[in-house]
Amino acid sequence: MPNSRLSLRTRLIYAAPALPLAMLGLPLLVILPDFWAGSMHMNLATVGFVLTLVRIFDVVVDPAIGRCSDLSHSRFGRRKPFMAVAMPVAAIGAVGLFFPPHGAGALWLFVFYALVTWGWTALSLPYWAWGAELSDDYTERQRITSLREGGTIVGILLSAIAPVALGITTHVGQAHLLSLLTIGLATPFVLFALLLVPDKLPTRRSTPAGLGPTLKLVASNLPFRRLILAWAVNGLANGLPAALILIVFDQILHAPAASGPLLLVYFAAGVISVPVWLKCAARIGKHQTWAAAMAMSGIAFAFVPAILHVPHVLILFGIISVFTGAGLGADFTIPPAIQADVVDVDEAASGEQRAGIYFAAATMAQKAGNALAPGLAFPLLGLVGFSTHGGNDAMQDAALMVLYCGIPSALKIVAALIMRRFPIDRAAQQDLRAAIAARA
């Protein structure tokens, strides 16, 4: 059985890889299309087609990797072998993707984008499932995920700061810096975690179900369905402002240069808030804390239209960013800890430990929410005739603000209501662990 309480050293070593893994997000999501369409002179439509084609395969790759890691047996544990193999695969993919030879074409882009994307998946899914299995304790799981996801937010923050601090302004230079920095930090951090953090091997009590039956059992887990619904709704609420924030600073606030400092305020508030949410989760419960954090963010977002035409609007926007950034800290750190408790429901019923497939399903839901945000926002703005080059009238500006803060505010409140009466609290989780122990 996992230890109820881990040492701070063990938690830190386990959490450390999250920082460099998060740093790869900026070059992959923001820089990559411009890098290949600009520096590599590839048609933008071809770039988009190749990247989309790779992501389509995630529907198969994510659950397959999650399930395979659940079924893995080795003397090193279940999760470690996947991470050990995936790390060099993802590193090779990143090097090939951002240091391609002259004349590299669509096939090169497909192969190396697939390597880095699926390698990252094969590294991250077992990594998250491993964290869920390090402890059976309700509060200790929150401590583990708080450190890990706090590292994720710091990694995102560093990926934005490092190029600026080093005076690197071109997308090519930023891609080179962040990909090498990710590999340079991830290699020792992952290695230390593999060597120094325990990875348990479960005792099989029944023949494991196949992937299809397993997905059906996952879908029948009512607390999981509730959690994943809240996760998806909240993900869309976060995705809409992320997709539109630069347009808002340019077209509404007329201060594009202020976006960088205020984004730093936003992410810094997320990092600083993590210990606060940890204490709240230990005191009133994880789901109640997350619901309160989402409600706080929703209310803060609702104030954005009221400050647009008052003096010192950027200062007031910064204050709102503190509250919404703090909410982001809860969004990152609390749901994965609740996910670990949800897996206990499945284990108590089936006798099988399959955190990997649950985190794969959660990842797919988050990806869907992230993809839906720009897919919803930009066509709707186009429908009302909004232009990023300016010259918009009051109705078009209002449409932008509805998508930027009105809908996200409402979605945050809806997600908070979904989680308000979540059935797994501390007492329920302890009952589940007792049932699992008795069955064993």
Side-chain angles (χ1 to χ4, degrees), residues 279-302:
K279 290 183 179 180
C280 290
R283 186 177 183 86
I284 66 173
K286 288 181 276 196
H287 69 279
Q288 295 284 24
T289 299
W290 189 32
M294 289 188 288
M296 178 192 73
S297 295
I299 293 170
F301 263 127

Side-chain angles (χ1 to χ4, degrees), residues 135-408:
S135 176
D136 290 340
D137 183 71
Y138 180 84
T139 302
E140 184 66 8
R141 285 173 170 173
Q142 185 61 56
R143 295 189 186 99
I144 293 167
T145 58
S146 292
L147 275 177
R148 184 186 68 210
E149 301 308 320
T152 297
I153 303 174
V154 172
I156 296 171
L157 196 59
L158 287 178
S159 69
I161 293 174
V164 176
L166 296 175
I168 300 174
T169 57
T170 67
H171 280 175
V172 175
Q174 292 171 355
H176 289 171
L177 170 68
L178 294 175
S179 57
L180 292 178
L181 196 57
T182 296
I183 295 170
L185 291 175
T187 301
F189 287 178
V190 170
L191 181 61
F192 289 150
L194 295 178
L195 292 176
L196 300 176
V197 181
D199 180 9
K200 70 173 183 176
L201 184 65
T203 302
R204 293 272 183 241
R205 293 183 288 277
S206 60
T207 302
L211 180 58
T214 296
L215 290 175
K216 289 182 180 179
L217 290 170
V218 169
S220 68
N221 187 326
L222 294 180
F224 173 72
R225 282 159 52 180
R226 191 164 182 171
L227 172 64
I228 212 71
L229 177 60
W231 221 335
V233 171
N234 187 62
L236 179 58
N238 288 336
L240 285 169
L244 299 172
I245 186 168
L246 296 183
I247 299 175
V248 169
F249 272 93
D250 187 27
Q251 299 295 321
I252 303 296
L253 298 177
H254 305 292
S259 62
L262 286 174
L263 282 173
L264 291 180
V265 170
Y266 176 75
F267 285 113
V271 174
I272 295 170
S273 70
V274 170
V276 176
W277 299 126
L278 176 59
K279 290 183 179 180
C280 290
R283 186 177 183 86
I284 66 173
K286 288 181 276 196
H287 69 279
Q288 295 284 24
T289 299
W290 189 32
M294 289 188 288
M296 178 192 73
S297 295
I299 293 170
F301 263 127
F303 278 96
V304 172
I307 69 167
L308 294 180
H309 304 292
V310 301
H312 310 297
V313 60
L314 292 178
I315 294 176
L316 295 174
F317 200 97
I319 294 172
I320 291 175
S321 297
V322 170
F323 285 96
T324 55
L328 180 75
D331 292 339
F332 267 85
T333 58
I334 297 178
I338 300 175
Q339 175 91 324
D341 301 333
V342 166
V343 175
D344 287 343
V345 176
D346 182 272
E347 186 179 352
S350 68
E352 193 180 343
Q353 296 166 325
R354 41 193 176 203
I357 192 69
Y358 274 89
F359 277 93
T363 300
M364 291 170 64
Q366 292 176 71
K367 289 178 180 177
N370 292 337
L372 182 60
L376 175 67
F378 296 140
L380 287 175
L381 287 177
L383 192 63
V384 299
F386 185 90
S387 172
T388 57
H389 300 294
N392 300 295
D393 59 25
M395 184 195 75
Q396 292 159 343
D397 286 343
L400 173 61
M401 295 311 299
V402 167
L403 289 167
Y404 174 74
C405 58
I407 293 176

Side-chain angles (χ1 to χ4, degrees), residues 84-118:
V85 173
M87 180 64 222
V89 170
I92 291 170
V95 171
L97 198 60
F98 292 111
F99 295 87
H102 179 73
L107 180 60
W108 184 282
L109 174 60
F110 177 87
V111 169
F112 285 95
Y113 185 62
L115 285 176
V116 71
T117 299
W118 299 338

